Amino acid sequence: MLNPVEALANASGASQPAIRLILSVLASYPLGAVYRNLKTSTTVKNIYIAVTGLAIVLFNYGFDLYHSLLAVAVTYLFNTFFATSSLLVPLSFCYHLSYLLVGYYYTTSNTYDIKWTMPHCVLVLRLIGLAFDISDSREKVRQNKRDDKCIEVPSLLELVAFTYFPASVLVGPQFSLLRYKRFVSGEYEKHTTGVPAYAAKKFLQGAFYLIVNQVGSQFVSDTYLLSPEYEQESFFMRHVYMGIWGRVALYKYISIWLLAEGAAVLFGLTYIDAKPGDREYDSDELSGCSNIKVGVFENTSKFGHYVESFNVQTNHWVAVYVYKRLKFLNNRVLSHFGALLFLAIWHGFHSGYYMTFLMEFMVIRMEKEIEPIFQKNERIQALMQQPLVKLAVFIVLKFYTIAFAGWCLIPFVFLSFSKWWHIYTVVRFSGLILFLLGNFAFKPILLAILPANATPNTEAKKAQ
C-alpha cells in the first residue's frame, strides 16, 4: 500500500522529496495558528518552535537531521567559548561553509536534488550571521557607542528554536537573532492584528505561482530546450521560448518563498519595527521577512530590478555580511564580484552556478555603465515621453529582461557544463556577446553619440 507522500508524488508527477517539502511548508500554517494562541512563557514558546521545527526536518530528511544538530552544537560551543574573541567569526565562517561544501561533494549529482544540504545552506547563513552579529555588537561596545548593547549569547534552547523555526527551516527566509528575540518575547504581538489576512494573501499568491509553474513547465520544459525541436525554431523564437522557460522556472522559487513567508507571517515573525510606539496598522509592516517583491519582479525593465526583488533576504544577508566586509578592497566592483563569488561557492561546485553569477555580474555592471548615459541626455529623455516611443521602449526592455533572464538562468538550472553549453551554442551565445559588448564597447560609442547635455552654467563658462 502506498504511503500518502508516495501517492501524491505519483498523482502529481513530482518527486517524493518535493512533496515532503510542500507539505512541510503548508504544515507551518496550522503550526503558526497554534503558536499565536499560546499565551505562555518564552521558554514554552521556544520549546514549541524547536520541537515542531525539528519534526519538520526529521520528516523530510530522517537520520540526516544529525548534520544540522551538529551545526547547532558546534555553534553553541563557539558562542560559549569565543563570544568575546576575534576568532568567533572566522571559526564559524570556516566551519559551517566547509561542512556545507563537504556535504555537497558527497551528495551532489548532475541534477538539482532536494537533500539535507538544501536546508543546511539556509542554516549556514543563519549561524554565520549570528556569529557576525555577536562579534559586531561587542566591537561597538568596545568603541564606547552609548546606544549599543551586546547581543546576548543565546541559550541552547533558544539557539535550537532560532535555527529550526518551522516556517523558514527548509527554504528561508533569513532573519536575525534580534528579530527572533523580539518576536518570541511578544514585542510584535500588538502590531500584528492583520496577520491572518496578510498570511492568506501570501498563501494565495504562492499557490497561484505554483500552479503557473506546474502548468507552464508542461509546455516549455527543461527537456524541450535540449531537444532537436528547439534547435529547429527560428533564432528569435528560441529566445522567446528561452525567456518563457526562464520565467516559469523562476516561479518555482517564488511560489515556495511566498508560501513560506505566509507561514512566517502567521507566526507573527515578520513585523517591521520601523518606528516606536503604537500607530495604525499597515499591512506593509508585515513584510519584514519577504523574499520576493512580486510587484517589482513582474514589472522589471532592467536586471537591477531582479536583484532588488528576487531572493531579497539572502541578498540582504550577502550585502551586510560579505559585500560590506570587503570594503578593505577599496573597490566596489571587486566587492561586488567577491559577493557573487561567495554566492556561487555557497550554492555548490557545479559550473552552472559560477556561470550564472558571472552573468549577473556582467549584466549589472553593463546597466550601471550605460543607464546614466541615457538619463543624462535631455533629447533622449524628451523623446521617451512620446507615447509610441514609450511603448516601443517598453516592449524592447520587456523582451530584454525576460529573454536574457532565461539566458542567465540556464546554467543555474541545467548545472552541468555539457548541458548549458549546448543550449548556449543553440542560441549562438547571444547573451554573452551582448554583455561583453555592453561592458567593453557600448559605453564609449554611446558617449560619442549621446553626450550628456551641458548645463547653462557650463555653457556660460565656455562662452567667456
Side-chain angles (χ1 to χ4, degrees):
M1 183 177 178
L2 296 179
N3 63 52
V5 172
E6 190 175 355
L8 285 171
N10 291 340
S12 64
S15 66
Q16 289 192 45
I19 294 296
R20 289 181 186 274
L21 173 63
I22 293 293
L23 290 176
S24 298
V25 173
L26 295 179
S28 298
Y29 283 83
L31 292 176
V34 170
Y35 176 86
R36 286 182 60 78
N37 291 291
L38 286 179
K39 307 301 179 183
T40 184
S41 67
T42 299
T43 299
V44 174
K45 290 179 179 179
N46 277 323
I47 291 173
Y48 175 80
I49 290 170
V51 170
T52 53
L54 284 164
I56 284 175
V57 178
L58 185 65
F59 170 68
N60 281 268
Y61 304 106
F63 181 69
D64 283 334
L65 170 67
Y66 81 87
H67 294 290
S68 56
L69 286 174
L70 180 59
V72 171
V74 171
T75 297
Y76 181 72
L77 292 175
F78 284 167
N79 292 345
T80 301
F81 294 105
F82 298 98
T84 59
S85 169
S86 60
L87 293 175
L88 177 62
V89 169
L91 281 173
S92 180
F93 192 98
C94 292
Y95 172 79
H96 289 300
L97 188 59
S98 297
Y99 195 101
L100 177 65
L101 293 178
V102 171
Y104 284 146
Y105 179 80
Y106 284 104
T107 64
T108 296
S109 67
N110 288 326
T111 59
Y112 185 82
D113 299 311
I114 301 178
K115 296 180 179 177
W116 67 265
T117 50
M118 188 188 76
H120 204 81
C121 72
V122 176
L123 170 149
V124 160
L125 295 192
R126 188 166 300 166
L127 297 182
I128 291 175
L130 174 60
F132 270 115
D133 290 344
I134 292 173
S135 179
D136 288 349
S137 71
R138 277 154 178 73
E139 181 61 31
K140 288 177 181 178
V141 170
R142 281 196 291 268
Q143 294 174 3
N144 297 318
K145 293 187 177 180
R146 294 180 182 178
D147 296 333
D148 292 304
K149 295 181 180 179
C150 289
I151 295 177
E152 294 182 9
V153 173
S155 66
L156 182 58
L157 173 60
E158 190 174 38
L159 179 61
V160 172
F162 169 65
T163 304
Y164 290 96
F165 184 71
S168 67
V169 65
L170 297 182
V171 296
Q174 295 295 336
F175 54 88
S176 68
L177 177 67
L178 182 58
R179 169 177 289 279
Y180 179 79
K181 282 177 173 286
R182 289 173 175 171
F183 148 73
V184 82
S185 67
E187 288 186 34
Y188 295 164
E189 287 182 10
K190 61 184 178 181
H191 301 294
T192 56
T193 55
V195 153
Y198 195 76
K201 173 186 173 182
K202 294 300 174 181
F203 172 81
L204 292 174
Q205 286 179 332
F208 170 77
Y209 279 108
L210 183 61
I211 292 170
V212 173
N213 168 261
Q214 291 300 304
V215 174
S217 60
Q218 302 301 313
F219 294 94
V220 187
S221 64
D222 295 356
T223 54
Y224 180 70
L225 293 190
L226 294 169
S227 69
E229 289 78 10
Y230 179 66
E231 297 182 41
Q232 298 305 313
E233 299 284 354
S234 68
F235 184 71
F236 175 75
M237 287 306 299
R238 280 177 238 162
H239 286 79
V240 170
Y241 281 119
M242 181 174 65
I244 296 172
W245 166 86
R247 204 73 170 182
V248 170
L250 288 175
Y251 286 162
K252 174 176 62 177
Y253 301 98
I254 291 174
S255 65
I256 200 68
W257 287 336
L258 285 168
L259 291 172
E261 182 189 353
V265 168
L266 199 55
F267 268 91
L269 176 75
T270 65
Y271 170 70
I272 300 178
D273 193 7
K275 298 177 183 177
D278 295 320
R279 57 195 183 279
E280 265 186 58
Y281 167 75
D282 182 352
S283 63
D284 284 343
E285 293 172 352
L286 298 177
S287 62
C289 293
S290 177
N291 229 359
I292 177 69
K293 298 178 181 178
V294 174
V296 177
F297 178 85
E298 294 294 359
N299 291 284
T300 50
S301 59
K302 60 181 181 179
F303 274 78
H305 291 152
Y306 284 123
V307 175
E308 178 186 346
S309 64
F310 194 81
N311 208 359
V312 175
Q313 299 306 320
T314 300
N315 287 339
H316 175 72
W317 190 99
V318 173
V320 171
Y321 299 116
V322 180
Y323 177 81
K324 290 182 179 179
R325 313 284 166 159
L326 296 175
K327 188 177 180 179
F328 67 89
L329 295 174
N330 201 30
N331 187 301
R332 290 185 178 182
V333 176
L334 290 179
S335 296
H336 182 206
F337 183 83
L340 292 177
L341 178 60
F342 169 82
L343 276 174
I345 294 170
W346 174 64
H347 277 88
F349 297 113
H350 286 294
S351 61
Y353 294 136
Y354 296 84
M355 189 63 180
T356 287
F357 287 109
L358 176 61
M359 291 296 102
E360 179 182 336
F361 175 78
M362 292 177 67
V363 70
I364 294 300
R365 297 311 308 169
M366 178 185 77
E367 289 184 349
K368 286 185 176 180
E369 292 289 326
I370 293 177
E371 188 177 14
I373 298 174
F374 290 95
Q375 291 176 338
K376 293 177 182 178
N377 188 280
E378 293 179 3
R379 291 180 181 176
I380 291 295
Q381 293 304 307
L383 186 63
M384 286 285 292
Q385 301 307 311
Q386 301 297 320
L388 289 178
V389 174
K390 187 180 291 188
L391 176 62
V393 170
F394 173 82
I395 293 172
V396 169
L397 289 180
K398 273 299 175 186
F399 179 81
Y400 157 72
T401 53
I402 293 176
F404 288 102
W407 162 276
C408 293
L409 195 63
I410 280 170
F412 192 90
V413 173
F414 288 94
L415 298 178
S416 64
F417 175 82
S418 59
K419 290 181 180 179
W420 61 259
W421 184 262
H422 168 74
I423 298 172
Y424 274 6
T425 61
V426 171
V427 292
R428 302 293 185 266
F429 298 97
S430 57
L432 185 60
I433 293 170
L434 173 65
F435 301 152
L436 284 173
L437 289 174
N439 276 274
F440 299 106
F442 286 168
K443 184 177 180 179
I445 295 172
L446 289 173
L447 283 173
I449 300 174
L450 304 171
N453 295 99
T455 63
N457 291 335
T458 304
E459 291 182 352
K461 287 180 181 179
K462 287 182 179 179
Q464 292 174 358

